[in-house]
Amino acid sequence: MLDVGRHPNIELMAYCEVEGLEGEAGDFRVSVRKKARYVDEAKCTGCGACTEKCPTVVPDAFNEGLGERRAIYSWFAQGIPSTHTIDPDHCRQLNGKKCGICAKTCQAEAINFEQKDTLVELNVGAVVVATGYEVFDPSRIPEYQYQQIPNVVTAIEFERLLSASGPTGGHLDRPSDLAVEAEIEALEKKAKKGQKMLDKFEQKYETPSAQFYEAFLKGAYDGDEDRKKWAQKYEAQLEITRPLEALKKKAEGFDAAKKLAFIQCVGSRDFRFYPFCSGYCCMHSIKEAIIAHEHEPQTTSTIFGMDIRAVGKGFEEYKIRGGNQSGVRYVRGRVAEIVEGENHNPVVVYEDTREQKVKSEAFDMVILATACAPNKGVAELASVLSIEINRFGFFQTDPARPMDCTRPGIFVCGCAHGPMDIPESVAQASGAASRAAQVLIGSELRKAS
Amino acid sequence: MSEAKNASGEIPEHLRIGVFICDCGSNIAGHLDCPAITEYASTLPGVVYAKENLYTCSEAGVLEIQKGIQEHNLNRVVVASCSPRTHQPLFQSSCAQADLNPYLFEMVNIRDQCSWVHMQEKENGTEKAKDLVRMGVAKAAFLEPQEDIEASLIRRVLVIGGGAAGLSAAQSLGGMGLEVVLVEKDALGGLLNRINRLAPHGEKASDRVSELVESVKAMPNVTLYSGARISSIDGYIGNFEITIDQGQGNQAQEKAGCIVVATGAVPLSPEGLYGYDKKTVITQMELESLFLEGNFHAEKVVMIQCAGARSSERPYCSRICCQTAVKNALWIKEQNPAASVHILYRDMQMYGTEKEQMLSDARGVGVRFHVYDPENPPVVDKGTVSFYESLTGEQEDISCDLVVLSTPLVAREDVADLSQLLRVPVDQNNFFLEAHAKLRPLDFATDGIFVCGSARYPATVEEACSQGIGVSSRIATILFKDKLIVSALVAEINPETCVGCQGCMDMCPYGAISYRPDLNICEVNTILCKGCGCCAATCPSQSASLKGFKPQQVLAQIRGL
């Protein structure tokens, strides 16, 4: 990323979308919508002072909504370019409310609420499509109860939980526990506010609220309106502190997730959704299981899959190492359903093919290895670029010319081409660059002759 | 800058060091006392100018450095800011623009090492930043000007291997206007020549071979040597010299700037496995030959996957055998729908879109799949395959007239020879080892040498082609430049004190050191040297040293603490 950001021959146009393409290989005219960031890219230094001061808290999409960001943000730390962006859906100023704190904070004077989308015309010789994929939404599979059972998460959500720079600092807190902790935090905030009000009364009458309330109940202050108000406030405070104490007590028993289940082919190899194999998910689950074990050596994982497809260089060896050294167990089969058990523990119901028995087993957390789905915008982009899509929803190529799209001069690489892992994507990216260079060199030669 | 070269190791007199302390907005200044650090820096020996910047990397910040160099006649610049990995090139080029040799620049990382890690400890963090700045200034005093090393480039590429990967590489390199020398020891086309049809669409392999071979042969800038072998390789990136043995005592000399290893792999011959007899028990490759020759007549076929693979002897999965089996099973059913085909497997490795579709199509036309237990493998005996089907828990016997073993691709036996000629490593399975499994899958750690196809790891034809084409752009990034420029921060060996013990040669991971028997000394090839310093740390006579990290410079830095 850094190398690309720093390369003298690369102009990065992030936060932009291609809207039109005309011409032919060697001479394309592309129109690109440069979306308004409301931040001047030339001035913004990425210092982050604006984000620190921004009062609007928004769920952080980069962290799969598991963390929070502000309305002015960078997509993730150390992202390239480091330019910040205002989220127009949430920014107070852009929604007609009074704010503008970021503009006051920014020493580089980079904030510009008047910025508009602009259309940029580019003249290029070749186009490389590297639009990737999106993660399948497992709530479409009713039997897995994603979003119904809190401790059923997707592989990418789990990735964020495992990340040292993620919302839990890499600690495997269960979402159900995180929800309770968030509730405690909210109640504590409320309680603090309520206590402030009580403090005023306590100072005024020089009596602790609890002591006063006991007397009040005995009718000591009948007819005293001010004290009646105090009593009401105290009652309201009890409504907050009682559940708060109960939750806190509950939270004392919380422990990190140590018994994990990974379910493969969620949305993949499934005729209801995507018939294809997503290729990388088996290794992704094994990697997540091994990292979870490295983080907390008591962690054990069970990976449920029809086939464990460890097909890359060193992958089979890695899989075996996971089994021997990292507490990973591989169970053949497709999980039938997940139900909620005690203490929000997901219970996995499956057939043990070795014993030919239906079994159920409770886990602290279940991770769904979701399919590599074609991007939603694929059809639109295909029509803009006049290229074809294959029967699986990815960009069409010919096995003899693996990076060439159906229109000359347009190439594809990575998961826009079909599900694949990192080494294969990187190799294809180099390949697409080569194919593009051949077009450019060819057209240079034609011009010269 | 001769004043810097003070033989006594004392601080030279005419030093004019400028120190720039970066606030990085609030990234550094929010957690450290930057004015105090700047004030402190100005008191250090040799420092004539110290300046605090809001953002040293912004245009204004860079101008400050250049202004400082000119107005204060600075002959050393120290920037205390963020990571040299991201910003050193920018600051160095800024120095160069102001006519200061870029190697007289030193960088101190007070963001990652101070403000970020000691975010809650402003005082301690500030003190540490002062320590680091003092160390940087102390080293800067002993920096020496250097010139980047330049070398010429031969715009010609040697491709070793003329299979799908090598031909694709040659085709792409040729298509980019580079000259290519392709050396193939047998016939062009490699394993493709022995294959019947290609997955997933059933195209004739021979059609693909002729298309590739014809297009490469038609390129005027491609020189082909078939039936030839590489007998020696000398030189380094940009300037390799190769001797090609054409057989019958004929040798050819070639030069190349880069080399592509596309030597492929070979199917394992499963001697002693499952009663392999090349008649009733054959390999998938032999089955392909039967198809091609029109000699396939079996009606009851059993295929056994992972024959000789994923075992303690050969732990890896060979990636392509499952799809080969399914492809051939589909072909058999297409030729003779009444034929029965059973595939005994452990995991069907049909990754991706088309392959999984093939698996599902095969099930649709009646190919039967059974899971076997590797602990209790199938037994082949006189036309019957018996195995424990671990999904149903039953012992099954299938009678058949042909057993086909899906054997893995294995590294060529002569892989060690080539690996030695090129001085590039192989992995535990004898496949060539790339520089980085994920980020640099087609590069070797040695500059100018690349790998693609099954020489790296078993690959499908499509993958081998992608990688071959990919390699060509890796090479273009080198050979499309006017000349090769590498950092001056390389090792040097003092010929006066070197005793020729060759201890450094064993340590050098890049093969950059050679021994001169005539002089009994070791020499550094500055193009191959990456400046890692292993030789300097090893040398018993302290004859090897690393520019920019000489003992004098590093000791000054350490003593500064």
Side-chain angles (χ1 to χ4, degrees), chain B residues 299-302 340 342 381-387 396-403:
Chain B
E299 293 191 341
K300 294 184 287 180
V301 180
V302 174
S340 76
H342 293 264
D381 188 27
K382 294 185 195 110
T384 305
V385 178
S386 312
F387 67 101
E396 291 197 31
D397 301 312
I398 304 174
S399 79
C400 56
D401 43 26
L402 185 66
V403 174

Side-chain angles (χ1 to χ4, degrees), chain A residues 2-3 6 45-47 49 52 78 107 269 271 275-279 306-317 319-320 332 351 353-354 356 390-392 394 397-403 417-419 421-424 426-428 430-431 433-435 437-438 441, chain B residues 24-27 54-55 85-86 89 116 172 175-176 200-201 208 211 310 315-317 319 345-354 356-357 359-360 371 390-393 427-429 432-434 437-439 441-442 456-457 462-463 465-467 469-470 472-474 480:
Chain A
L2 274 171
D3 286 348
R6 226 173 46 204
T45 57
C47 74
E52 268 173 39
Q78 286 106 41
Q107 292 176 338
R269 302 183 72 188
F271 289 111
F276 54 78
C277 161
S278 295
M306 295 185 282
D307 301 285
I308 300 298
R309 291 184 168 167
V311 282
K313 188 171 187 170
F315 288 6
E316 175 75 11
E317 292 93 325
K319 178 188 119 183
I320 290 169
R332 187 186 296 277
E351 185 197 347
T353 53
R354 278 181 183 264
Q356 282 86 42
N390 66 21
R391 56 181 163 162
F392 304 104
F394 299 98
T397 57
D398 173 349
R401 275 161 286 277
M403 274 76 65
H417 180 287
D421 61 16
I422 296 171
E424 224 191 318
V426 172
Q428 275 209 345
S430 288
S434 163
R435 295 292 299 130
Q438 288 172 54
I441 291 162
Chain B
C24 196
S26 59
N27 253 321
L54 182 57
Y55 292 104
R85 181 159 153 63
T86 58
W116 277 0
S172 286
M176 288 195 284
H201 303 304
R208 180 75 62 82
E211 189 192 322
R310 298 174 69 193
Y316 65 94
C317 160
R319 188 173 178 97
Y345 73 98
R346 291 167 57 187
D347 296 275
M348 284 310 290
Q349 309 290 33
M350 306 298 279
Y351 57 96
T353 50
E354 297 285 358
E356 179 69 22
Q357 187 64 45
L359 177 61
S360 147
V371 177
S390 38
L391 281 185
T392 58
D427 66 16
Q428 67 276 18
N429 299 317
F432 282 100
L433 183 64
E434 62 274 43
K438 296 205 185 308
L439 300 177
L442 307 176
R456 176 185 158 270
Y457 185 66
E462 185 174 343
E463 287 161 359
C465 291
S466 299
Q467 291 173 18
I469 300 169
S472 70
S473 86
R474 301 294 303 136
F480 279 8

Side-chain angles (χ1 to χ4, degrees), chain A residues 317-338:
Chain A
E317 292 93 325
Y318 188 74
K319 178 188 119 183
I320 290 169
R321 203 168 77 217
N324 291 343
Q325 297 172 11
S326 302
V328 183
R329 174 173 68 123
Y330 304 96
V331 174
R332 187 186 296 277
R334 180 157 221 150
V335 168
E337 63 172 336
I338 306 170

